[in-house]
Amino acid sequence: MVKFLRMLAISAREGTATRKYPFESSLVTPEFRGRVDIDPAKCVGCGACVRICPPSALTLNYESDEVVLKYFIGRCIFCGMCAYVCPQDAITITKEFELATPELNDLYDEVVHTAVKCNVCGKPFTTVKLVKEVEKRIDGGDMSPLFNTCPECRRKLTARRVGSGVTGVSVE
């Protein structure tokens, strides 16, 4: 009984500790992480966010002439790892957390990029924006023809060049 009276005295002195949500705004701290927002103008489709995402809320799909970065809010755990690793600062963490919707499609965000097809095999393997970003960051020199070659074909071409250099016999 004494404990109850002590609690009652503390409650009377401190007042109400909870908020009448949703009638009052919720208490969101500065460190709070909500859904992520992807800026399509900054995103180059490198896929760093996809590789780091623990629940696989971000996926990168290659479809004929397009590379689609999909963000499924329903799987996101709001860890912010994608924003941390994004080299273009294209991903920002918002404070949005009231994300309920009756439509499942409302939980998807997409960024569509134009695909680059391999100049050897024709398979789409990266985005045009990523190739341009790489060309901008490094001086291509004699490497620039390889920018439009998929990793598998690039490996074969390099092996042929190395092989012809060692044996002196051209295989082209």
Side-chain angles (χ1 to χ4, degrees):
M1 184 71 171
V2 175
K3 188 175 180 180
F4 173 74
L5 290 175
R6 264 195 229 149
M7 292 299 291
L8 190 60
I10 291 171
S11 295
R13 186 179 65 231
E14 295 296 324
T16 305
T18 58
R19 292 179 182 243
K20 294 179 181 176
Y21 181 80
F23 304 109
E24 294 178 20
S25 64
S26 60
L27 181 64
V28 177
T29 62
E31 298 85 17
F32 183 82
R33 294 185 303 247
R35 70 176 295 238
V36 297
D37 187 37
I38 304 168
D39 185 354
K42 291 182 177 178
C43 180
V44 294
C46 67
C49 56
V50 173
R51 287 186 287 280
I52 198 76
C53 184
S56 300
L58 289 159
T59 56
L60 202 58
N61 301 316
Y62 294 86
E63 301 167 2
S64 64
D65 293 339
E66 295 177 336
V67 179
V68 181
L69 175 64
K70 280 188 179 179
Y71 171 51
F72 180 47
I73 301 166
R75 294 193 79 159
C76 186
I77 59 173
F78 309 126
C79 65
M81 295 293 288
C82 53
Y84 180 73
V85 300
C86 181
Q88 299 295 317
D89 293 328
I91 300 175
T92 54
I93 301 169
T94 67
K95 298 209 181 297
E96 290 179 50
F97 66 94
E98 297 167 318
L99 305 169
T101 178
E103 293 293 324
L104 183 63
N105 288 335
D106 292 344
L107 295 175
Y108 283 98
D109 244 354
E110 289 184 354
V111 177
V112 180
H113 295 281
T114 305
V116 173
K117 291 185 177 179
C118 176
N119 57 8
V120 176
C121 68
K123 187 175 83 177
F125 70 99
T126 192
T127 67
V128 171
K129 288 173 95 177
L130 182 59
V131 169
K132 287 182 179 175
E133 183 67 24
V134 170
E135 286 175 341
K136 189 173 80 180
R137 288 189 181 200
I138 62 171
D139 181 24
D142 63 338
M143 296 287 290
S144 53
L146 296 176
F147 288 156
N148 293 327
T149 308
C150 73
E152 187 177 329
C153 291
R154 194 177 316 140
R155 199 172 314 124
K156 290 176 184 174
L157 289 173
T158 304
R160 284 184 189 158
R161 285 183 183 169
V162 170
S164 65
V166 171
T167 61
V169 178
S170 177
V171 288
E172 293 183 33

